[in-house]
Amino acid sequence: MSKIGYFYTDCLVPMVGNNPYATAEENSTELSINTEVYSLPSRKLVALQLRSIFIKYKSTSFCEKLLSWVKSSRFARVVVLSSSHSYQRSDLQLRSTPFRYLLTPCMQKSVQNKIKSLNWQEMEKTPCIPEVRDSDYCVRIPGGGITRALYKESCSKEIAMAVLLKFVSEGDNIPDALGLVEYLNEWLQITRPQGGGPAPSTLAWRIPSSWKLLFGNGLPPALF
């Protein structure tokens, strides 16, 4: 996907870095910032990537600006890739797949049958206040950042949105990232297995060069 611009906002902590998707020395010094937009015209696909945390009390404002951009740009649908704390799963969630989905009413009309054919599990409603007996039930996404707010606002604004998420733990989340994009690919078929192989491992995902630096350099030989 080619970078086509950025999403200008004062809601995120400013940051700048080198190109996280560098493929050669020639493009390694290109600058990247906290919110960038990528496009793949052949698939009518646009991706917005966030690389920074929200400034306190600014997340609601960001949701409003993002959904306003979605409506003004007339996107056909929105897919949010997210996660939730694995340690806050219910007993039922512990015994099933770690993947869940949510659909706004507008999205259900067009994709509900396809989603059902995949045998996916919808995100369960849980007590709004876990510690209070007889609490009302609602959708909760612990550790999901603005995911729940985006979903609720999209329901009220009649925006076609799907949320795909995985229950994850802190640590090396590379397998979680690959698992989530393969989950997305089951539905949208963005890419197909190479060589006719049915296994997810044969899909042509390109690993960002910056992931090599996730855990820093190896131990200095001088230590030994």
Side-chain angles (χ1 to χ4, degrees), residues 53-93:
I53 60 174
F54 289 99
I55 294 172
K56 197 171 184 179
Y57 307 123
K58 290 277 193 175
S59 59
T60 300
S61 175
F62 179 82
C63 289
E64 293 172 352
K65 292 177 180 179
L66 177 58
L67 295 181
S68 175
W69 176 61
V70 166
K71 296 200 80 167
S72 65
S73 300
R74 302 177 68 182
F75 288 113
R77 58 188 174 187
V78 180
V79 181
V80 177
L81 302 183
S82 187
S83 63
S84 185
H85 291 320
S86 62
Y87 65 83
Q88 292 199 12
R89 285 176 290 177
S90 65
D91 290 345
L92 175 63
Q93 291 168 340

Side-chain angles (χ1 to χ4, degrees), residues 33-171:
I33 60 172
N34 52 13
T35 47
E36 293 189 322
V37 184
Y38 298 82
S39 172
L40 188 62
S42 62
R43 298 296 175 90
K44 296 182 179 179
L45 182 66
V46 171
L48 171 68
Q49 182 169 21
L50 307 185
R51 297 195 181 96
S52 183
I53 60 174
F54 289 99
I55 294 172
K56 197 171 184 179
Y57 307 123
K58 290 277 193 175
S59 59
T60 300
S61 175
F62 179 82
C63 289
E64 293 172 352
K65 292 177 180 179
L66 177 58
L67 295 181
S68 175
W69 176 61
V70 166
K71 296 200 80 167
S72 65
S73 300
R74 302 177 68 182
F75 288 113
R77 58 188 174 187
V78 180
V79 181
V80 177
L81 302 183
S82 187
S83 63
S84 185
H85 291 320
S86 62
Y87 65 83
Q88 292 199 12
R89 285 176 290 177
S90 65
D91 290 345
L92 175 63
Q93 291 168 340
L94 284 166
R95 295 193 297 267
S96 60
T97 172
F99 297 99
R100 290 294 187 276
Y101 77 91
L102 287 167
L103 301 176
T104 62
C106 285
M107 184 68 105
Q108 287 178 357
K109 298 174 185 176
S110 59
V111 304
Q112 186 68 49
N113 291 337
K114 173 62 177 177
I115 296 297
K116 283 185 177 179
S117 72
L118 295 172
N119 293 318
W120 284 4
Q121 285 192 241
E122 189 173 8
M123 187 66 169
E124 301 85 352
K125 290 186 177 181
T126 56
C128 299
I129 308 176
E131 298 80 10
V132 177
R133 186 177 297 179
D134 300 326
S135 171
D136 291 336
Y137 279 66
C138 61
V139 172
R140 298 176 62 250
I141 309 177
I146 63 169
T147 306
R148 181 171 177 268
L150 278 175
Y151 171 72
K152 289 184 67 178
E153 280 295 304
S154 295
C155 287
S156 64
K157 294 181 184 296
E158 299 185 345
I159 292 174
M161 175 181 286
V163 174
L164 308 186
L165 60 84
K166 185 183 181 186
F167 296 115
V168 301
S169 301
E170 292 290 340

